[in-house]
Amino acid sequence: MGRYLHGATLEETVATGVYCLVTGKRRDSNVYFVQSGGTWVLVDTAWRDRAELIRSAAETLFGAGARPRAIVLTHVHPDHAGSASDLARMWDVTVYVHPGELPLPPSGRIIGALAGVERRWMFPPGQPGLSPIDPDAGVPGLPDWQVIPTPGHTPGHLALFREADRALIPGDAVLTVNLNSPGDALSQRHTLGGPPRFATWNWRAATESVAELARLEPGVLAPGHGRPMTGPVLAPALRALGEQLNNPAGSSAGHKLTEWVFNFFDYSRRAR
């Protein structure tokens, strides 16, 4: 099912009870409505000023006045958490994140310095903030889903996994568009890729998280960016991506220069 809604596309993914709102014409960050029994949970909230769009999509799916049990953020970046505060106030619900997302990120490097500004912009004083989720207790309102810690892109990045059909919502831990390749990014080629390095807190941890998700052998991948992916080729393709990212090729001068540039942006080295 696909529906056009205020410039965005609302479509049902291949996973039962999981609906995807693509928030932009160039497949901007995805928002997921995840249903379990009589309740549903919103996963991620896209950029700021998307609250009305998301509420309208929720009412299209679940009826007038529909309200989630909770909002869960895979991580606190502005393209995933930008409308969280507005929606929390609108619906009077709690916004959950992994505890690793609660401390303010470090400063001193370019992305680290911007991160504190992002937090104050998304969660201004006096507005609803963030609450820690207990990964061992599961997802509030979704008893059939579990929390998978996937640090790397951010310190407390998390993914959601449903064992019954091996459905995986990985946030930005794994994408189905390769944002680390300018050509792939511009063409929006449907392919597996890791998180964007220029905005990743710790690349080594991020690659280890990809390998960890590959071990789940998902049958459905509903990413933060790109189209959902499914089928028997998904699990082996994700394993191959994990092996590729954890065993980078070569030590050429070009490779070393690339690593030096990306290490400059690695702000996990600063004290928290």
Side-chain angles (χ1 to χ4, degrees):
M1 146 180 95
R3 279 172 274 186
Y4 199 65
L5 194 93
H6 305 304
T9 304
L10 178 64
E11 54 190 22
E12 186 175 11
T13 72
V14 290
T16 301
V18 180
Y19 302 86
C20 176
L21 176 67
V22 183
T23 59
K25 294 180 180 179
R26 290 285 296 172
R27 300 205 69 87
D28 205 343
S29 55
N30 298 331
V31 169
Y32 292 94
F33 305 85
V34 184
Q35 192 171 21
S36 179
T39 63
W40 62 277
V41 166
L42 180 70
V43 180
D44 287 342
T45 67
W47 290 96
R48 197 171 186 178
D49 299 326
R50 301 294 201 277
E52 287 297 335
L53 168 65
I54 292 169
R55 178 166 68 172
S56 179
E59 294 188 351
T60 297
L61 288 170
F62 306 115
R67 178 173 171 270
R69 165 66 175 79
I71 297 171
V72 176
L73 302 179
T74 58
H75 60 297
V76 185
H77 273 173
D79 58 334
H80 291 259
S83 291
S85 182
D86 288 344
L87 287 166
R89 187 174 60 254
M90 182 185 299
W91 282 327
D92 189 26
V93 297
T94 302
V95 181
Y96 291 99
V97 296
H98 187 280
E101 292 292 272
L102 291 175
L104 279 175
S107 60
R109 303 229 177 183
I110 293 176
I111 296 176
L114 291 175
V117 176
E118 289 177 355
R119 291 294 181 96
R120 289 187 289 273
W121 173 63
M122 290 184 290
F123 302 97
Q127 294 195 20
L130 303 170
S131 296
I133 195 170
D134 180 355
D136 295 328
V139 186
L142 300 178
D144 45 347
W145 289 78
Q146 56 185 293
V147 176
I148 309 294
T150 48
H153 185 52
T154 63
H157 194 286
L158 63 81
L160 302 182
F161 182 65
R162 183 169 60 187
E163 179 74 30
D165 58 356
R166 313 201 74 76
L168 176 65
I169 301 176
D172 279 1
V174 177
L175 307 178
T176 60
V177 59
N178 184 9
L179 297 181
N180 295 311
S181 163
D184 286 347
L186 287 172
S187 67
Q188 295 288 292
R189 187 166 75 91
H190 191 47
T191 184
L192 288 178
R197 285 198 70 161
F198 62 85
T200 291
W201 171 72
N202 184 305
W203 184 246
R204 180 179 296 276
T207 60
E208 291 171 353
S209 289
V210 173
E212 182 66 27
L213 292 177
R215 284 189 278 273
L216 297 174
E217 298 189 343
V220 177
L221 188 72
H225 301 271
R227 302 192 309 276
M229 184 179 290
T230 186
V233 301
L234 174 57
L238 187 54
R239 282 198 302 274
L241 176 66
E243 292 169 2
Q244 173 192 339
L245 294 177
N246 281 282
N247 298 283
S251 57
S252 65
H255 177 76
K256 290 179 179 178
L257 176 61
T258 301
E259 288 301 304
W260 183 90
V261 171
F262 280 128
N263 283 337
F264 178 81
F265 288 96
D266 185 347
Y267 58 103
S268 68
R269 301 182 180 192
R270 306 290 296 198
R272 289 175 65 76

